[in-house]
Amino acid sequence: MEDLATGPVTFWAWIQHVLDPFCGPIGLFSLFASDGLVACGDTGWGDEIALGVRVTVSLALATLPVGLLLGFIIALAMQSEERSLKIATGIYTTIFRGLPELLTLFIVYYGFQIIIQTLVTSLGGETRVEISAFFAGMLALSVVFSSYASEVLLSAFRAIPRGQYEAGSAVGLSRAKTMVLIVLPQLIRIALPGLSNLWLVLLKDTALVSVIGLTDILRQTGVAARVTKEAFLFYGLACLIYLVLATLSSIGLSAISRWANRSEASR
């Protein structure tokens, strides 16, 4: 039974190794830095840097949906006729757009942990609460991203004519269905350029999590630079990796934008 259980796991690990863009058989470090400081294995820092890339990309991808959802909710609240909601969202966006991202990260990583620990203690619990660096980074970047995304989405909401909402109501659609079927497709198309810029900013801001111990690109290359005394090599490599990620993101976002525009034109 153990062989049956470990078989798929071993096969999946082999697939991951083969498809690894850095340390796989046709990975960049394996092909171009097989015997240098960036080599994979025990002879170089390729494995550590590849891990940093995976952590950076995972953090950005985990932050994006949370930040978008929060931004969408805040944008809806900004349009609400309820005065208290407008004031609350205004305070939220002012705070997180005004604070430096690094300070927000420290507040979340240290302050949020203290708040939860205090609540647990007040309820009679004795468990020590610790927030992982990944979760703290995701939460901090999400609130910052959402504060900017809400303004982009709010502008997109205002660009959609009120007649679109009235048309949905006229054909018998509920407000929720009108939002999903009529408003949301237009909202995405209008907000996409602004959200694309925010994604690139988010990708760069992930470098901040290195200060709280998360093994991202900057932390891994920084450790390698200090150990080997080859700062220019490893920080230059970090620059190259971020530029490649930004370029790939720009290509993907341009493709999505063209698809959205074609879909709109075909209607």
Side-chain angles (χ1 to χ4, degrees):
M1 293 296 293
E2 292 183 0
D3 292 339
L4 292 176
T6 58
V9 175
T10 304
F11 177 74
W12 177 242
W14 178 80
I15 291 293
Q16 287 181 309
H17 172 69
V18 171
L19 299 179
D20 189 340
F22 295 99
C23 293
I26 55 173
L28 295 177
F29 295 159
S30 299
L31 294 176
F32 301 107
S34 58
D35 57 354
L37 292 174
V38 194
C40 298
D42 297 333
T43 60
W45 292 85
D47 296 293
E48 288 78 7
I49 296 174
L51 174 62
V53 175
R54 288 194 291 271
V55 170
T56 293
V57 174
S58 298
L59 179 61
L61 291 176
T63 300
L64 181 62
V66 178
L68 281 176
L69 179 59
L70 286 175
F72 181 75
I73 294 173
I74 294 168
L76 286 177
M78 286 178 171
Q79 298 187 105
S80 173
E81 297 180 358
E82 181 65 37
R83 181 176 174 80
S84 59
L85 282 178
K86 289 185 177 182
I87 294 175
T89 52
I91 293 173
Y92 178 93
T93 55
T94 300
I95 290 175
F96 291 112
R97 290 172 65 192
L99 290 178
E101 286 85 350
L102 185 59
L103 182 56
T104 302
L105 178 62
F106 284 150
I107 290 174
V108 171
Y109 185 58
Y110 297 107
F112 192 55
Q113 184 167 283
I114 293 173
I115 292 173
I116 294 179
Q117 184 67 67
T118 303
L119 290 174
V120 171
T121 303
S122 65
L123 294 174
E126 299 180 355
T127 305
R128 179 174 177 79
V129 177
E130 292 186 5
I131 298 177
S132 69
F134 187 93
F135 177 78
M138 184 189 72
L139 184 58
L141 293 176
S142 293
V143 295
V144 173
F145 183 90
S146 66
S147 64
Y148 288 97
S150 63
E151 296 293 336
V152 174
L153 293 170
L154 180 61
S155 298
F157 269 121
R158 290 173 176 171
I160 299 174
R162 296 300 304 176
Q164 301 286 340
Y165 298 89
E166 296 170 0
S169 177
V171 297
L173 295 178
S174 64
R175 295 188 64 179
K177 288 186 177 180
T178 300
M179 177 64 67
V180 172
L181 299 177
I182 298 177
V183 177
L184 197 57
Q186 299 178 71
L187 184 74
I188 294 173
R189 181 179 58 82
I190 297 171
L192 191 57
L195 295 178
S196 298
N197 290 331
L198 291 180
W199 162 256
L200 295 177
V201 173
L202 170 63
L203 197 59
K204 294 183 294 182
D205 283 348
T206 55
L208 297 174
V209 299
S210 61
V211 301
I212 58 174
L214 195 63
T215 55
D216 70 322
I217 295 172
L218 190 59
R219 181 172 180 81
Q220 297 294 71
T221 52
V223 171
R226 288 192 295 272
V227 172
T228 63
K229 309 301 181 183
E230 293 285 350
F232 183 78
L233 169 64
F234 286 103
Y235 285 129
L237 179 60
C239 291
L240 182 61
I241 292 173
Y242 277 112
L243 287 174
V244 169
L245 291 177
T247 301
L248 293 175
S249 296
S250 297
I251 294 172
L253 291 169
S254 297
I256 294 173
S257 179
R258 289 194 299 270
W259 172 80
N261 290 329
R262 284 198 302 268
S263 298
E264 180 65 20
S266 63
R267 291 185 177 183

